[in-house]
Amino acid sequence: MKKILVTGGAGFIGSNFVQMVLSEYHDCFLVNLDKLTYAGNLENLSSFADNPNYKFIKGDICDSKLVCDIMDEYKIEAIVNFAAESHVDRSITGPKIFIDTNVNGTLTLLEAARDRDIERFVQISTDEVYGSLELSGGQFTEDTPISPNSPYSASKAASDHLVKAFGHTWGLKYNITRCSNNYGQYQFPEKMIPLMINNALNDKELPVYGDGLYVRDWLYVYDHCTAIWKVLTDAEPGQIYNIGGCNEKSNLEVVDIILKRLGKPKSLIKHVKDRPGHDRRYAIDATKIITELGWKPSVTFEQGIIKTIDWYLENTKWLENIVSGDYQKYYQQMYDARQ
Ligand code: NAD
Ligand code: TYD
């Protein structure tokens, strides 16, 4: 049985990954270490809480003793590190926690992994470490120079460099995955797609930053999880893989699709003050993972966004539970600052 430590498994992508592995790979034991920040939500995994192949531990990846105790007690063979502060806007208003978790937390995990010579360390990174592309430019490949623009992407780039350095210096067997923007079930509504769905459902304005012509390459979260699994199980150590959905869309195009599906008017769109340093475009060249590991996305954006909107429609209670907490205060502050 493969024993895997998943960090940040109560967040958006992590919880989808835990669900996929426990449902599809019955020879794995997963320990989920998550601090349960505002973004962590055990409701995402409630149907797996009693699964004999799963153990949840509340804790911080910066806590070296806890990490080492878990590694030893559960004889961990691989780590998949999802745990992070993940929102660009929050990194602009308060960058320090991004360094604490994304850099120092990753360092803590790396030291524990190195000292135990585990089979694999998979770092879940982002295409944002490459910086921004022109609207008419090419795509990011694995050889694109690292050039982050936000405190969030700078912290992720720093952790990528640390992971590589541990491989180079101590022979740590690692992989780094750099994905584009994910969307799908269980995404916290501070991110664009669930935020717009939630606002549209409540007939509230949809705050589009600046001209709305910023482009993201949308990746359905389940497809991201299958790619991570391929990397974890099939990749050579030391390899970096870009993961993208081949679904470039401007923010206005995405908002338009959401409004149409929900039967809401375009008049809900409100252009608001832009994000400082807003990256114009991200686009992934995923040739390497497709040709080397045989991965491919299972849905187009048009299929995935319908599944996603329908999931939020069927799970209004999940959204309500979040929106009724601290979220409202956060949202109002962000919204007011953009007027
Ligand atoms: P998320 O914010 O939804 O979840 C992050 C999880 O990490 C939460 O459960 C949180 O409680 C946990 N966490 C935060 N700090 C922690 C700490 N110090 N110790 C333990 N747990 C902690 O994030 P997500 O969208 O699921 O992203 C997961 C990973 O994927 C991140 O590393 C992110 O940088 C990367 N990524 C995300 C996207 C995206 O579109 N969402 C795109 C590219 C890369
Ligand atoms: P986001 O989901 O925050 O992801 P990222 O910044 O990591 O790409 O934002 C996606 C795009 O949507 C980005 O161009 C910013 C834009 N956006 C809005 O226009 N309005 C919003 O309320 C939010 C949260 C994002």
Side-chain angles (χ1 to χ4, degrees):
M1 170 153 310
K2 196 136 199 96
K3 301 187 182 78
I4 305 168
L5 173 60
V6 172
T7 68
F12 165 47
I13 306 172
S15 63
N16 276 283
F17 183 78
V18 169
Q19 286 203 13
M20 182 195 77
V21 176
L22 292 176
S23 307
E24 298 178 25
Y25 302 99
H26 300 289
D27 59 342
C28 287
F29 183 84
L30 298 188
V31 179
N32 175 8
L33 172 62
D34 196 298
K35 189 177 167 184
L36 297 183
T37 67
Y38 76 92
N41 187 349
L42 283 183
E43 226 184 299
N44 304 1
L45 293 166
S46 53
S47 52
F48 294 85
D50 300 325
N51 189 305
N53 288 352
Y54 173 69
K55 171 82 184 165
F56 173 74
I57 296 172
K58 182 175 176 190
D60 193 327
I61 59 166
C62 300
D63 182 342
S64 174
K65 180 170 182 322
L66 175 65
V67 169
C68 291
D69 286 350
I70 292 171
M71 303 271 300
D72 293 336
E73 180 176 351
Y74 294 97
K75 300 190 171 39
I76 294 298
E77 295 160 307
I79 295 178
V80 185
N81 182 26
F82 293 96
E85 289 294 329
S86 67
H87 191 36
V88 174
D89 290 329
R90 289 188 194 245
S91 82
I92 295 169
T93 49
K96 186 175 178 303
I97 184 85
F98 285 72
I99 304 304
D100 294 343
T101 288
N102 301 3
V103 184
N104 289 323
T106 301
L107 175 63
T108 305
L109 295 171
L110 286 167
E111 287 178 325
R114 172 201 61 194
D115 293 349
R116 287 157 185 80
D117 193 24
I118 65 169
E119 284 173 27
R120 199 57 57 95
F121 186 101
V122 180
Q123 172 71 359
I124 307 303
S125 185
T126 166
D127 60 358
E128 300 189 27
V129 300
Y130 297 123
S132 181
L133 294 164
E134 299 295 325
L135 279 180
S136 57
Q139 296 172 316
F140 299 129
T141 72
E142 289 80 359
D143 296 325
T144 301
I146 302 298
S147 182
N149 289 321
S150 71
Y152 162 68
S153 53
S155 70
K156 294 295 287 186
S159 51
D160 283 15
H161 286 313
L162 272 176
V163 173
K164 278 183 84 170
F166 270 64
H168 186 81
T169 309
W170 289 289
L172 178 81
K173 295 183 274 301
Y174 75 87
N175 294 106
I176 297 171
T177 60
R178 296 187 179 133
C179 64
S180 54
N181 287 60
N182 285 224
Y183 68 102
Q185 58 182 8
Y186 301 116
Q187 188 167 30
F188 192 86
E190 68 187 348
K191 303 282 167 53
M192 195 213 13
I193 287 184
L195 185 149
M196 299 300 182
I197 294 173
N198 182 48
N199 282 17
L201 281 173
N202 292 292
D203 298 307
K204 283 167 67 174
E205 284 168 345
L206 308 195
V208 169
Y209 297 171
D211 60 15
L213 300 178
Y214 295 89
V215 170
R216 299 294 184 258
D217 176 358
W218 293 97
L219 173 65
Y220 189 55
V221 66
Y222 178 78
D223 289 335
H224 184 199
C225 293
T226 63
I228 295 167
W229 184 254
K230 283 245 179 226
V231 171
L232 176 67
T233 54
D234 293 349
E236 291 296 320
Q239 293 297 315
I240 296 174
Y241 289 95
N242 283 353
I243 307 168
C246 250
N247 288 305
E248 284 189 55
K249 295 270 178 270
S250 74
N251 295 338
L252 278 174
E253 285 175 308
V254 173
V255 165
D256 201 40
I257 294 173
I258 292 171
L259 287 172
K260 279 205 181 96
R261 180 71 182 176
L262 294 176
K264 301 287 181 174
K266 272 191 166 187
S267 55
L268 283 179
I269 294 175
K270 178 159 188 218
H271 288 267
V272 296
K273 210 187 274 175
D274 212 344
R275 171 187 284 171
H278 200 165
D279 284 343
R280 185 46 98 175
R281 173 173 166 255
Y282 305 137
I284 285 269
D285 178 344
T287 306
K288 181 174 172 183
I289 190 166
I290 291 169
T291 54
E292 283 187 13
L293 301 183
W295 171 83
K296 59 176 191 315
S298 67
V299 291
T300 62
F301 184 73
E302 286 66 24
Q303 294 165 325
I305 191 72
I306 297 298
K307 278 170 177 267
T308 303
I309 295 169
D310 291 353
W311 184 86
Y312 281 96
L313 280 172
E314 285 154 20
N315 291 275
T316 45
K317 194 83 202 126
W318 183 91
L319 259 181
E320 275 164 32
N321 286 346
I322 290 172
V323 173
S324 63
D326 290 344
Y327 174 80
Q328 203 48 46
K329 198 170 140 216
Y330 160 81
Y331 179 77
Q332 206 52 51
Q333 275 171 357
M334 291 299 287
Y335 189 79
D336 292 346
R338 293 200 186 280
Q339 299 313 300

